[in-house]
Structures are given as C-alpha cells and as structure tokens.
Amino acid sequence: PSSVCAMGGTSSNSRLFGTLAQSLSSAPLGQIELDLDHNLAETDPDQLLRECEESLQRRPARPHRDLVVPTGAVPRRQHNPAIRIMQWNILAQALGEGKDGFIRCPLDALNWPERKYLILEEILTYLPDILCLQEVDHYYDTFQPIMASLGYHGTFLAKPWSPCLDIEQNNGPDGCALFFRRSRFSLQATERLRLSAMMLPTNQVAIVQMLTCRPTGRRLCVAVTHLKARSGWERLRSAQGADFLQKLQRMISQNGGQRRAMSGSIPLVVCGDFNAEPTEDVYKRFSSSPLGLSSAYKLLSSDKQTEPAYTTWKIRPSGECRSTLDYIWYTGDSLSVEQLLDIPTEEQIGPDRLPSYHYPSDHISLLCDVCFREEPHRLM
Amino acid sequence: PSSVCAMGGTSSNSRLFGTLAQSLSSAPLGQIELDLDHNLAETDPDQLLRECEESLQRRPARPHRDLVVPTGAVPRRQHNPAIRIMQWNILAQALGEGKDGFIRCPLDALNWPERKYLILEEILTYLPDILCLQEVDHYYDTFQPIMASLGYHGTFLAKPWSPCLDIEQNNGPDGCALFFRRSRFSLQATERLRLSAMMLPTNQVAIVQMLTCRPTGRRLCVAVTHLKARSGWERLRSAQGADFLQKLQRMISQNGGQRRAMSGSIPLVVCGDFNAEPTEDVYKRFSSSPLGLSSAYKLLSSDKQTEPAYTTWKIRPSGECRSTLDYIWYTGDSLSVEQLLDIPTEEQIGPDRLPSYHYPSDHISLLCDVCFREEPHRLM
DNA sequence: CCACCTCAG
DNA sequence: CCTGAGGTG
C-alpha cells in the first residue's frame, strides 16, 4: 500500500514518469547495466528539466548560483574538456520527515513527490559528469532509473544499519550513491568499502571507482563517503578518514602499477559529507595525506586557503546550526579546478535556513569543473 | 552526622588534623585573612608531607616527575627568584565518587580521607608560590585551613550551580580556588568573575588577583578558570574565553595606569582547565589575544610549538579519553619560563589510566617556574 | 545504530 | 544547571 507513495506515482508527476516509463520499458534494468555499447533511447535532460519546472510551479524559484572561475585558473586546452563533479547530501526522505527536526521547515515542503523534483532539477541544471550523493534512501525506485535513462551508470551502497530503518514509513536504508556519465567514462573497477576505526567496522561506508575517460583514455579515480555525524565523534571521524585514505592509497597503487609503471599517480577526486569542520583532525588528515589532496572549494575564497563559511545551515529545536562539512578533494598535481558553483548567500538561503520550499536539502550542493593537467613529461 | 566524614576527621588522619588544629586554634580564620603582618605559628610543610606519606603507606608510590629546564632558558638572575605556579583540576570528590564513571578506577581509590592526602602530597612536594585549582568541593573544610596553616592566602569561587549538588552525599558546590604564599606576595585586588557568553551569564567562573611581589615590588596578575566541559560546547567555550580575555584586559589596563603610566604591561599568568584541545577556537583566541599570552607547556616539546599529548586520561563507559585541556598561559614579554614539571609517561599513568590508587585526579597537575624579565628600560 | 526525549543524581 | 541512563520513532 505504501509502495505507491514511495514510487512517487501521484497525479502531479505523471509526466515525469511518463517520460521515464518509455526508456524503462524499452530497456529493462538488467540491460542498462550490462549492455553498455548498445545505444539506448535516452531521456532528454531538457525535457525532464521542463517537467520538473512544471511540477514545481507552486514553489518559489530556485535562487541562481554563479559559476565562478577561480583567479589564476589555467585556461582549458582543446581535447581536454572539463569534468564536472557534483557533491551533495540530499537529505534522506525518512530523516527529513521523520526525525531530523527542522522546526522552521514546513513538513509540506518535504513531501517526496515534490521534493524529488527539486533534487532532480538541481542535478539536471548542471548535468555533472560525476555525481556523488549521500543520504540516498530512494535509489532503486527513483534515482537509479531516472539517472540510467539520462545516460548515467549508478552504484549504491547502503549503510549497514541506517537510522531511516527506525522510522515508521521508511523507504529502506540510506546510503551513498555514485553516478557517472557512460558517454564520458568507462568503468574499470568498483570497491564498496565499509569504513573501520581502530580495526572495528563502523556504520559508515564509501564507494571508490576507477574510471577511464573515453576520449583521452586517461584514468580517474572517484570516491564518495559520508562520515559519522555529530560532535563528540571527532576521533571516530578521524579514524574513519585514516582508514579511507589507506584504502584509497591501496587502490591507487594497485591500479597505477597495472598499465604503465610510475608515470605519475592516477588523478583522484574524493567527494563527501565528512561531518567535520575544517578545524577537525580528519580534515587535516585529508589535506596532508601522501595522496596530495586539496579541497576544491578553498579556491572560492580570496586567499585560496579558506573553506566556505557553510555547506549546511539548519534550525533544529536545539538551535541554529551553520557549518562546513562537505568537501570535494582533488589531486592538485594532476587536476586543476576551472570553475566552482558559488555558495548561496545568507539572503538566498532565507531566514528559515534549510531545507525549505525552494531548497530540498539541509546541505548545499557543491559543484566544480576539473581538468586533467598535462601528462607528466617522460624523462626517459 | 555527615559533617564528621566531610571534615575528614577519621582515625587514619588524626595526625594531620592534629597538626592542623594547632595552627587553627592559635589563629582563627578571620585573623588569618586580616592580620597579614602578624607572624602566625605555621605548619611545617615537611612534617605535613611526612604525615601524608605515612597515611598513604598502603598506596603504590607516586611516580617521579622530572623538572625540565627548557632548552634556551635564560639563567636566573640574583634577587629575582623564580615564581612557582601550579595548575590542577583535582577532581571534585562528589563527581569522582558519584557520577564521573571512571570504570577502571576502584571506588576505594577515591575515598576522600585517603585521596585528600594524595592531593596534598602533590602540592607539598612542589610547594608552589601560586596554586590554581579546579573542581574544589572541599575548600572550607580542607584546603582553606590546611593551606592557610602553610602560609597561603586562599580565595574560592563556587560555580553558580555545581553538578556536585545533585549528588546524594555531596559536600557543597565545586569551584575554582586560587592560593598564593603570603610570604611572597601581598594582595592588591581580587575579582570574582562569572563568565558570560553572548551577553548571557553562564555556569562557569574565574578568579583574577592582582599581587605585589614582596621582595621586588613588581606586580603580577594571576587568574584561574574552568570552562564548560564536553564536546558540542566548543562555541560556548570560545565565547567564555572571549569574555574572560576582555575582563582580564580591563583589569590589566585599570591597574596598569594606576601607579606608573605606560611602563610596559603587568605580567600575567592565567591557569585553567579550558576543557579544550589546542585545535579549538578558544585556544586560538588565547594564543592570539592582544594580551600576548603563550602557553608554558609548549616549551616542553622539542619544537617549542606543541602542547603535551595529554593533560587528562581516563576510561569511561563510553571509552578511553586522552586529551590536552589544561594550560598555564603567561605573558612572554614580561615573564620567562625556567622550569616545567614533566608529564607522566603512559607507563607511569598505567593501563587503567586516571584516577587511580597512585594518582588522585583524572587531570595531571601542571607546574612551572617563571621569572620576571628585565624591567623595560625607560626611554625618558 | 541514531537522535530525540525524559528522568534521576 | 548538568550529565549519564533509559525509552521511542
């Protein structure tokens, strides 16, 4: 009985699911996953975006965000188009409605049949090549089919024990999802990680994928994670970060030695909701690891050293909570950042903060375009 | 009925209170406070120390701690003997027995009639000129009379609402205490502060005293505080720190302008359990304030930049907790650090951490000797 | 396993 | 006031 609601099949979104049903019926799920060379009848993103806007007519307009070119960015070279990366904790539906206690957000603003269009609209507006999501509890019934019809390959990994499962009308556990455009990348390897802390498995997970960029043949390693939340767990986050870094290191060196030895390391992008301010240990761990990771959003600041003032901003019964928890890490030696999507201002976010009628999550989406730097010159 | 126990008057410590009773009967409390020039019959610290050792025979020996001379310390000049400063959160008796949950510490190790000798032994071993304590819930019945008999002036400030008061067999609220040797200093002014955060009064307090060094006539401002505990309260601690610094600034400039204008600022020492790791905001606030404060214990590290790895180390039901929370701040332009008491090693602390049969508190005592630097040369 | 509440010390 | 323990969605 509740599956009708979970599938989102109400009258207000019949158009979306009309478009969606087409591609689904012409290409069942199994085939999408397996038959990568078969050119499927894909959904037109523009058409889908129009459907979103139609369904969201009663909502206030989504505030505009500028794409900012960081000062000193190297102009893009030909045959080296930028790779667009999006990082977003989309807020689990069960948590948003059930227990997160966003007291200044009307419950109605969180109803899934409409909220999913807000999420989709954001994704479709920017059409990232790599999409990293956290708190996904509508993967199989919503994001997998829709993103597949738009030409994306998707991977989902649920938390071993999700807090969503304790809520009456839940839609299964939440977890991380990683999507990439099949037209842009081919998949070389996937690792589904359960993060450990001091040898013990925790409730947090990560996905790592080794991709090959279709036109250039260059490889790119991408990863997504969602670390333990709340203050008081700084040590656990730090340990999870250490474990994650170690496993990334292992995967990079495994795959690096495979095709060509020592020709510089594989470019790496790590997206995540780290649930940690830049002052925390786990942040320092990431910024000083041997992997050579930099946080992309620092480039938005004038000194290039400062993270945004917030990536999440909400009002709970316990008070207002504004913090910087989400990051896009990239290897600065092999990748350069060409553009960054600006952070909405306090005014754009509004006095009731997030989520709201015009923004579906308590976290702001992060988006940047990165470019491969020149191949390191062979010295022999 | 419970006052007998609270006064510590059991058979095992009759000797201590025998010695104590002498000086008390010959000089009632009011007179100690008022009649500073009258040379009271004082308790001999060595005799008291022997009493402590006798009462603690059944306990394992207290581990030895070295007094370390920081590399590059200026040798002490004549007529400028060092001032010994001790900072210690001694663990409130009610909290230790009642609710702090030190699951690896036998309850027996915390019984007050013995534990107070452990605390006293530590103080008597080093005989500081300035003693800053937190979590004192046996001030009037124990520390005030004993320290007074040893020639100290004491000041106590209870928290407005102490968690001790919620425990069955409590001995009153806990608070901060500040002692100084009457032979070394005379008292010029005392401020009892209730710390505020964003205009609102909090449950945390501080004592600030303006002293005059007896032989040299130089002034010294000393302060003690105990900030809000636990993770999740970083913002409050930072605000409390800001308020504290502002009030210190005010007191320094008030007294500084009084006797001689602009002859360099008054030397300042601030001791406290800040309940904050060096990564926290409130630490940065202190180290970068216009008062020019440095943290003395950084000088114990080889790079002179790093705080000790821990000043408290305990095992609670929620797990092991090792952190650096206590600091001795000093004005580096007017004071130099001559010696520091080393931090006990992990082996000395033992596998069950703190408190224990050989250490009375979950916090390690900090101790350093500071010296006045040369008076700034008068240019006119 | 997570975030809230409430309850007692 | 403050904090652990215990219950609920």
Side-chain angles (χ1 to χ4, degrees), chain A residues 354-371:
Chain A
L354 306 175
S356 63
Y357 276 111
H358 62 269
Y359 205 79
S361 171
D362 57 326
H363 286 251
I364 294 160
S365 67
L366 305 184
L367 182 132
C368 70
D369 291 349
V370 300
C371 233

Side-chain angles (χ1 to χ4, degrees), chain B residues 8 29 58 62 75 123 153 163-164 216 318:
Chain B
L29 265 184
R58 299 185 320 148
R62 205 163 45 90
I123 296 169
H153 179 280
C164 296
T216 64
S318 49

Side-chain angles (χ1 to χ4, degrees), chain B residues 28 32 148 183 189 191 211 244 250 262 274 282 312 339:
Chain B
I32 293 179
S183 61
E191 285 218 31
L211 306 177
F244 190 24
R250 178 167 48 77
M262 303 290 98
F274 282 66
V282 64
T312 176
Q339 290 197 111

Side-chain angles (χ1 to χ4, degrees), chain B residues 78-380:
Chain B
Q78 292 222 263
H79 305 298
N80 189 6
I83 297 163
R84 179 158 290 185
I85 294 157
M86 184 182 250
Q87 149 58 33
W88 201 10
N89 177 330
I90 59 171
L91 172 60
Q93 184 59 19
L95 299 182
E97 286 187 319
K99 58 157 106 172
D100 256 352
F102 301 122
I103 49 176
R104 300 282 279 276
C105 175
L107 250 188
D108 173 45
L110 296 174
N111 83 78
W112 180 240
E114 288 191 40
R115 194 172 80 91
K116 74 167 174 236
Y117 282 106
L118 271 174
I119 298 171
L120 214 51
E121 186 185 33
E122 180 102 353
I123 296 169
L124 289 167
T125 302
Y126 304 107
L127 282 174
D129 299 299
I130 307 279
L131 173 63
C132 296
L133 302 178
Q134 296 84 30
E135 292 200 30
V136 180
D137 64 347
H138 278 273
Y139 181 77
Y140 294 104
D141 64 4
T142 306
F143 290 104
Q144 202 285 331
I146 293 177
M147 295 302 291
S149 82
L150 289 163
Y152 286 84
H153 179 280
T155 306
F156 175 69
L157 184 54
K159 291 182 186 165
W161 212 105
S162 158
C164 296
L165 297 178
D166 259 328
I167 286 156
E168 200 94 36
Q169 294 248 115
N170 76 72
N171 193 53
D174 76 302
C176 295
L178 199 165
F179 296 93
F180 64 85
R181 296 189 72 100
R182 281 186 289 113
S183 61
R184 190 72 206 275
F185 298 104
S186 68
L187 178 57
Q188 193 184 318
T190 303
E191 285 218 31
R192 294 154 189 269
L193 303 178
R194 178 162 184 182
L195 299 182
S196 290
M198 294 169 294
M199 310 292 291
L200 298 167
T202 70
N203 195 37
Q204 278 62 44
V205 298
I207 305 170
V208 190
Q209 265 175 346
M210 194 63 66
L211 306 177
T212 309
C213 192
R214 279 206 193 276
T216 64
R218 296 194 61 167
R219 279 177 305 169
L220 177 68
C221 184
V222 293
V224 54
T225 194
H226 187 186
L227 300 190
K228 178 81 182 77
R230 292 174 53 92
S231 56
W233 296 88
E234 296 80 11
R235 293 285 183 93
L236 179 60
R237 277 191 287 277
S238 182
Q240 290 182 329
D243 183 51
F244 190 24
L245 283 168
Q246 198 182 300
K247 285 164 172 165
L248 284 167
Q249 185 76 262
R250 178 167 48 77
M251 196 161 170
I252 289 280
S253 46
Q254 263 172 21
N255 286 272
Q258 206 166 288
R259 246 175 45 180
R260 35 185 171 181
M262 303 290 98
S263 76
S265 205
I266 298 173
L268 170 65
V269 170
V270 185
C271 294
D273 174 357
F274 282 66
N275 270 309
E277 294 273 2
T279 50
E280 250 187 58
D281 242 38
V282 64
Y283 181 94
K284 293 198 190 77
R285 239 185 230 288
F286 263 72
S287 42
S288 64
S289 92
L291 288 167
L293 294 167
S294 301
S295 170
Y297 263 77
K298 287 202 300 186
L299 297 175
L300 213 52
S301 66
S302 46
D303 67 357
K304 313 268 186 228
Q305 311 256 47
T306 316
E307 292 287 349
Y310 46 87
T311 64
T312 176
W313 199 342
K314 54 209 150 205
I315 302 178
R316 287 223 177 91
S318 49
E320 191 161 349
C321 173
R322 195 192 84 159
S323 25
T324 305
L325 308 179
D326 305 283
Y327 306 96
I328 299 177
W329 298 95
Y330 71 103
T331 45
D333 62 337
S334 48
L335 297 170
S336 72
V337 175
E338 299 235 316
Q339 290 197 111
L340 291 155
L341 191 60
D342 210 359
I343 302 289
T345 63
E346 175 164 5
E347 288 68 40
Q348 288 177 324
I349 286 171
D352 295 331
R353 312 315 179 193
L354 307 175
S356 63
Y357 276 111
H358 61 269
Y359 207 78
S361 171
D362 56 327
H363 287 250
I364 294 160
S365 66
L366 304 184
L367 183 132
C368 70
D369 289 350
V370 300
C371 233
F372 291 115
R373 288 185 189 277
E374 288 297 339
E375 286 268 9
H377 294 291
R378 306 290 171 81
L379 292 173
M380 297 194 286

Side-chain angles (χ1 to χ4, degrees), chain A residues 25-297:
Chain A
S25 58
S26 67
L29 266 183
Q31 204 172 333
I32 294 179
E33 294 277 359
L34 298 170
D35 192 353
L36 293 176
D37 293 322
H38 178 217
N39 250 338
L40 299 165
E42 294 193 351
T43 302
D44 174 23
D46 287 331
Q47 189 188 335
L48 203 49
L49 191 51
R50 281 194 299 277
E51 286 186 32
C52 287
E53 282 156 7
E54 217 172 295
S55 303
L56 296 168
Q57 273 172 1
R58 300 185 318 149
R59 301 258 183 160
R62 204 162 46 90
H64 174 78
R65 295 170 64 184
D66 279 325
L67 271 167
V68 177
V69 178
T71 55
V74 192
R76 194 194 317 169
R77 287 163 300 279
Q78 293 223 261
H79 305 299
N80 190 6
I83 297 162
R84 177 158 290 184
I85 294 157
M86 182 181 256
Q87 148 60 33
W88 200 12
N89 178 330
I90 58 171
L91 172 60
Q93 184 58 21
L95 299 182
E97 285 188 317
K99 59 158 112 174
D100 257 351
F102 301 121
I103 50 174
R104 300 283 280 274
C105 175
L107 250 189
D108 172 46
L110 295 174
N111 83 78
W112 180 242
E114 287 192 40
R115 195 172 77 91
K116 75 169 173 231
Y117 281 106
L118 272 174
I119 298 171
L120 213 51
E121 186 185 33
E122 180 102 354
I123 296 168
L124 288 168
T125 301
Y126 304 107
L127 282 173
D129 298 299
I130 307 279
L131 172 62
C132 295
L133 302 178
Q134 295 84 30
E135 293 203 29
V136 179
D137 64 346
H138 279 274
Y139 180 78
Y140 293 106
D141 64 4
T142 306
F143 291 103
Q144 201 287 329
I146 292 177
M147 295 303 290
S149 83
L150 289 163
Y152 287 83
H153 180 280
T155 306
F156 175 69
L157 184 55
K159 290 181 186 166
W161 212 101
S162 159
C164 297
L165 298 178
D166 258 332
I167 286 159
E168 198 95 36
Q169 294 249 112
N170 76 72
N171 191 53
D174 77 300
C176 294
L178 198 166
F179 296 93
F180 65 84
R181 295 188 72 101
R182 282 186 288 114
S183 62
R184 191 74 205 273
F185 297 104
S186 68
L187 178 57
Q188 195 184 317
T190 303
E191 285 218 32
R192 292 154 191 269
L193 304 177
R194 179 164 186 182
L195 299 182
S196 290
M198 293 168 294
M199 309 292 292
L200 298 168
T202 70
N203 195 36
Q204 278 62 43
V205 298
I207 305 170
V208 190
Q209 267 176 345
M210 194 62 68
L211 306 177
T212 310
C213 191
R214 279 205 193 276
T216 63
R218 294 194 63 166
R219 277 176 306 168
L220 178 68
C221 184
V222 293
V224 55
T225 195
H226 186 187
L227 301 190
K228 178 81 181 77
R230 292 173 57 89
S231 58
W233 296 87
E234 295 79 8
R235 292 289 182 92
L236 180 61
R237 279 191 285 277
S238 182
Q240 289 180 330
D243 183 50
F244 191 24
L245 283 168
Q246 198 181 304
K247 285 164 172 166
L248 285 167
Q249 185 76 263
R250 179 167 48 76
M251 196 161 169
I252 290 279
S253 46
Q254 265 172 20
N255 286 270
Q258 207 165 290
R259 244 173 51 178
R260 38 188 167 178
M262 304 290 97
S263 75
S265 205
I266 298 172
L268 170 64
V269 169
V270 184
C271 295
D273 174 357
F274 282 66
N275 270 307
E277 293 274 1
T279 50
E280 252 188 58
D281 239 40
V282 65
Y283 181 94
K284 294 200 190 71
R285 240 184 229 287
F286 263 73
S287 43
S288 63
S289 90
L291 288 168
L293 294 167
S294 302
S295 170
Y297 262 76

